[in-house]
Amino acid sequence: MSEKSSVKQEVAAGASVAAAVLLVTAGVLQVLQGIAAVGNDEVYTVGVDYTYELDLTAWGWIHIVLGVAIALVGVALFSAGIWARTLAIVIAGLSIIANFLWLPYAPGWAGMVIALDVVVIWAVWNWIPSSGWE
C-alpha cells in the first residue's frame, strides 16, 4: 500500500469513527426534531407552497422513524462490519433525500445534515478496516 493510500485510509478510518458518532447524534437530534413537529405544528413555518408538501405531523413521524434508524445504524457502525457500513451508506442516503425534502421547513438544519451525510458516505465508502478495529 502506498503512503498516499495509507494516509487516505487513516483519514477514512478516523472519519468513520466520527461518522458513527455523528450518525448516533444526528439520529437523536432528528428524533427530537420529529417530536417537535408532531407535538406542535406551529414550531415550523413554510413561506411558499412546494411540490413535496406534507403535513408537519407526517414529516414529524418520518423524522422520528428515520432518526431511530440512523441512531441504530450509527451504533452498529462501531462493529465495523460490512453490513453496518452498507447500512450506514443506505441510511445516510435516505437522510439526504428526507432532508432535501425538509428544506422549506428548516433550511439551515437540513443543509447541515445533508453535508454531514455526505461526509459519512465518503468516510464509510473509503474506509477499509484494519484487523485492529474489527
Side-chain angles (χ1 to χ4, degrees):
M1 191 180 295
S2 71
E3 184 176 326
K4 183 178 179 182
S5 179
S6 174
V7 170
K8 182 179 176 183
Q9 284 304 307
E10 288 178 24
V11 169
S16 293
V17 172
V21 173
L22 286 173
L23 282 173
V24 172
T25 304
V28 170
L29 291 175
Q30 199 142 331
V31 167
L32 294 174
Q33 183 178 23
I35 290 170
V38 169
N40 186 359
D41 285 347
E42 284 119 33
V43 172
Y44 298 105
T45 60
V46 179
V48 296
D49 289 339
Y50 73 111
T51 306
Y52 306 108
E53 187 173 355
L54 286 177
D55 178 63
L56 279 174
T57 303
W59 274 117
W61 282 108
I62 289 169
H63 280 285
I64 290 170
V65 170
L66 190 59
V68 168
I70 289 169
L72 291 174
V73 169
V75 169
L77 190 58
F78 283 111
S79 72
I82 188 72
W83 63 273
R85 295 188 320 231
T86 303
L87 279 176
I89 291 170
V90 169
I91 201 76
L94 290 173
S95 179
I96 287 172
I97 293 168
N99 281 286
F100 175 76
L101 299 176
W102 182 247
L103 276 170
Y105 296 98
W109 171 253
M112 182 183 68
V113 172
I114 289 169
L116 291 174
D117 286 332
V118 169
V119 171
V120 166
I121 291 170
W122 175 87
V124 173
W125 186 267
N126 287 296
W127 172 41
I128 302 170
S130 65
S131 59
W133 191 43
E134 279 193 55

